[in-house]
Amino acid sequence: MSAASVATPLAGLSGLTPIASDAHVSPEEVVFESRGCVLVLGDDAQAGEVAQQVAKNHGHFTVVFAPGVDVRDWGPRVTAVGRRVTHLKGYLGAFHAGIQVGEELTDIGASSPNPGRCFDLVLDLGAQALITDEVKPYGYFATGADEALRQQAIATLSTLVGRFSKAKYFSYAAELCAHSSRGLTGCTRCLDVCSAAAIHSVDGSIRVDPHLCQGCASCALSCPTGALIFKVPERQTLGDRLQAVLADAGHGVTLILHAFDVDAQTQAQWSQCNAVSFQVNPLPAFGDELWMRALALGAGRLVLLEDGSLHGKTLRLLSERVGQMQSLLESLGERTDRLAMVRSETLLDWLREAAAIKVLPVVANRVAPLQSWAKFKRLAWIDGLRQMAGNFSASTVVLAPDAPIGAVQVDANRCTLCFACVNLCPTRAVNARHDTLQQLVFQESACVQCGLCVKACPEQALSLQARFAPAALARMTSVVLHQDEQFKCTSCGTPFINRRLLESSLERIKDHPVLAQGGRAALMTCPSCRQKEMLEM
């Protein structure tokens, strides 16, 4: 965006900034265009009176849909329809609405004067809001019967006409994503935690609507591979800041992560407890790979400040991840209070109690720069684990089923080494090795517990176990899950299939007429010999 186009963000609409009609906008920004057409929704005829007020204050076209609304002529700026809208989706400048007629859903775009048959703004007065996501799209205001909230919304509507921009908060690397493969669904963590319903699965791929995304960063925190990357601020920037702050603060300091500004008096109180400020907004942008790095760089404790502003899904995600990390710390012989999430009103008491117990972490002589790991979240996480120099011989700790680390277990009595799991594994955590034996090999440090291997297995031989195995993760070792000797072609002697898979295949088709006609012998030869025999017939 050009410097001349920059304006103050709109009050109550975080991240949204008005821009001039001819302003140049960079590809890293998302643009909204609103002509000012307002859709007013309600449960009864009162919505018509509100629509009149909106049209008077707003000065633009208003459409009101509500049961029992008076459809008399209210002038050129108001259109009234006595029907209930049942479906609504979109965002500032591009809302689409529909009504249910029998079993059919009818779009009501014909009521809008906009060329795209859409509405720019929505004022929802209904007792049950049509959009119930924790984070509402820009341009949508659900007030119910709250008169003060309604008047505030009406006043804001008049400010939302023209062009607006916001940052594109994320980038997406499809090659790292573990969401799906060949029609099967694996990881859905980002879909589950998005408070704005901005993330969808389309034809097996993750799609993020940049107009709906409002930058909570929960998707980046939840993504186990780093396919979804939060860009404002970037991991690299946070890593550099972290290194500088801890180098200046000294060994064993408590680092407090907070989203919003903190006054000098509060920071002085923190300092008395050997704690320093580290502001990052939004809080989930500082992911668990950076938590690990902070402890590796010498922070005695890391505190996430819960100030009451976090949405429910985000708060639950952070709480779950903090709990998982505390289990890991305990396994490594560390104090679990080296990482905590603390509410604002209890923080000072927590810090004073913590200050009475000194924590002097063991820190490696040199922590590698983050640049080499910045793109690969799991490698950054493992690098931090290594630098912590903890007790890698510690026993394995079982974690909650949704944890992003763990093992794949194989039922050897079922597995035929067909390698369907290998073909679908997005991180190559399960792999095939061919020599005198055919082997199914597993690298636990690469596994994100997406479950694709389990769903792909035709024998139902695989299962997941979310767990923390320090040695397997830190040393990035591989183990053989299952193996079988190779069956040699009865014609040329070349190994071409493992014995268990051949026996399983023959058992499956034992009643097929081909076997009764001598086909069994053909199936025991390699593809090359089989083709040669067919050509010689």
Side-chain angles (χ1 to χ4, degrees):
M1 196 189 322
S2 65
S5 68
V6 176
T8 304
L10 295 167
L13 296 170
S14 176
L16 194 63
T17 302
I19 57 174
S21 59
D22 58 348
H24 170 72
V25 179
S26 79
E28 295 304 309
E29 293 179 276
V30 183
V31 175
F32 301 80
E33 295 192 39
S34 168
R35 294 177 175 86
C37 176
V38 182
L39 175 63
V40 179
L41 308 177
D43 296 328
D44 52 41
Q46 184 187 12
E49 303 303 324
V50 175
Q52 278 279 68
Q53 183 184 357
V54 171
K56 179 180 178 180
N57 293 359
H58 190 53
H60 289 266
F61 198 83
T62 302
V63 181
V64 55
F65 273 75
V69 70
D70 190 342
V71 295
R72 69 180 184 270
D73 183 9
W74 279 339
R77 290 207 302 257
V78 179
T79 294
V81 182
R83 301 294 299 272
R84 183 187 298 278
V85 169
T86 56
H87 294 74
L88 179 68
K89 64 180 181 179
Y91 46 82
L92 176 64
F95 284 102
H96 293 271
I99 59 175
Q100 198 77 33
V101 180
E103 295 183 358
E104 297 294 325
L105 180 63
T106 302
D107 182 80
I108 63 169
S111 300
S112 170
N114 288 341
R117 293 174 60 91
C118 63
F119 303 91
D120 300 300
L121 300 154
V122 177
L123 177 59
D124 190 347
L125 310 174
Q128 298 295 325
L130 280 180
I131 295 179
T132 58
D133 303 310
E134 286 183 330
V135 176
K136 306 296 188 291
Y138 291 127
Y140 175 79
F141 301 89
T143 67
D146 189 323
E147 180 62 26
L149 196 59
R150 180 186 305 166
Q151 293 304 319
Q152 181 182 352
I154 292 173
T156 305
L157 289 173
S158 61
T159 69
L160 292 173
V161 180
R163 295 181 79 215
F164 306 86
S165 73
K166 73 173 185 68
K168 183 180 180 183
Y169 295 106
F170 63 91
S171 63
Y172 174 62
E175 70 276 10
L176 299 177
C177 186
H179 171 57
S180 70
S181 182
R182 302 187 187 184
L184 295 177
T185 300
C187 178
T188 62
R189 292 180 176 92
C190 62
L191 293 163
D192 298 336
V193 302
C194 181
S195 298
I199 306 177
H200 303 278
S201 177
V202 180
D203 297 328
S205 297
I206 289 297
R207 295 286 186 272
V208 184
D209 189 329
H211 292 89
L212 292 176
C213 173
Q214 295 186 36
C216 72
S218 294
C219 59
L221 174 61
S222 68
C223 180
T225 64
L228 275 168
I229 302 170
F230 195 73
K231 298 167 61 178
V232 191
E234 293 182 320
R235 181 186 299 139
Q236 179 66 59
T237 302
L238 290 172
D240 292 344
R241 279 183 55 207
L242 175 67
Q243 192 134 359
V245 167
L246 289 178
D248 184 61
H251 195 59
V253 70
T254 295
L255 190 70
I256 302 176
L257 302 183
H258 58 98
F260 299 105
D261 293 341
V262 175
D263 58 48
Q265 181 182 357
T266 299
Q267 293 202 39
Q269 292 174 324
W270 292 355
S271 180
Q272 292 173 2
C273 300
N274 194 31
V276 295
S277 160
F278 192 95
Q279 184 174 7
V280 52
N281 190 10
L283 212 57
F286 197 93
D288 49 2
E289 75 280 11
L290 291 173
W291 301 353
M292 191 73 79
R293 185 171 182 82
L295 298 179
L297 285 167
R301 293 179 176 87
L302 182 67
V303 176
L304 281 67
L305 186 60
E306 206 281 273
D307 58 11
S309 66
L310 295 171
H311 296 286
K313 288 185 177 181
T314 302
L315 181 58
R316 286 190 293 273
L317 173 64
L318 282 169
S319 298
E320 290 168 2
R321 286 300 173 87
V322 167
Q324 289 172 11
M325 187 69 79
Q326 288 174 336
S327 296
L328 272 53
L329 290 171
E330 185 175 27
S331 172
L332 294 171
E334 301 280 350
R335 291 182 58 88
T336 58
D337 66 356
R338 288 197 65 191
L339 176 69
M341 186 159 67
V342 183
R343 290 189 60 83
S344 300
E345 57 267 27
T346 62
L347 178 62
L348 273 179
D349 289 339
W350 190 94
L351 289 174
R352 287 164 182 151
E353 291 177 7
I357 305 173
K358 299 294 183 182
V359 174
L360 294 176
V362 177
V363 181
N365 292 329
R366 179 179 180 275
V367 178
L370 189 64
Q371 290 91 324
S372 58
W373 309 111
K375 181 180 178 182
F376 302 102
K377 180 177 180 178
R378 176 55 61 89
L379 291 180
W381 191 92
I382 290 174
D383 186 54
L385 175 64
R386 287 173 170 172
Q387 300 292 353
M388 281 184 64
N391 179 18
F392 295 150
S393 62
S395 59
T396 297
V397 175
V398 176
L399 302 175
D402 59 346
I405 54 176
V408 171
Q409 297 178 325
V410 176
D411 184 342
N413 294 322
R414 288 178 173 268
C415 179
T416 61
L417 292 176
C418 69
F419 298 128
C421 54
V422 173
N423 294 330
L424 267 71
C425 180
T427 64
R428 311 305 296 170
V430 288
N431 224 320
R433 188 183 294 162
H434 304 278
D435 197 0
T436 54
L437 296 174
Q438 282 196 342
Q439 296 178 325
L440 180 64
V441 183
F442 176 64
Q443 183 177 332
E444 189 158 342
S445 58
C447 181
V448 297
Q449 299 283 287
C450 68
L452 280 169
C453 59
V454 175
K455 293 181 179 180
C457 181
E459 312 296 347
Q460 298 182 329
L462 302 183
S463 60
L464 301 178
Q465 183 188 38
R467 69 180 194 177
F468 175 56
L473 290 170
R475 296 167 187 162
M476 301 177 72
T477 53
S478 298
V479 296
V480 176
L481 294 179
H482 188 43
Q483 63 184 17
D484 194 10
E485 63 179 356
Q486 299 232 54
F487 183 85
K488 295 180 179 179
C489 172
T490 54
S491 178
C492 68
T494 301
F496 74 100
I497 190 173
N498 74 76
R499 186 174 295 277
R500 178 67 186 277
L501 181 57
L502 176 62
E503 292 173 353
S504 175
S505 300
L506 291 172
E507 177 63 24
R508 289 173 186 267
I509 61 173
K510 63 182 179 181
D511 297 324
H512 197 280
V514 171
L515 291 188
Q517 298 171 12
R520 182 181 179 89
L523 291 176
M524 299 177 77
T525 58
C526 68
S528 296
C529 290
R530 203 175 306 149
Q531 184 179 35
K532 181 179 179 182
E533 291 174 4
M534 291 179 65
L535 293 173
E536 292 174 350
M537 291 179 63

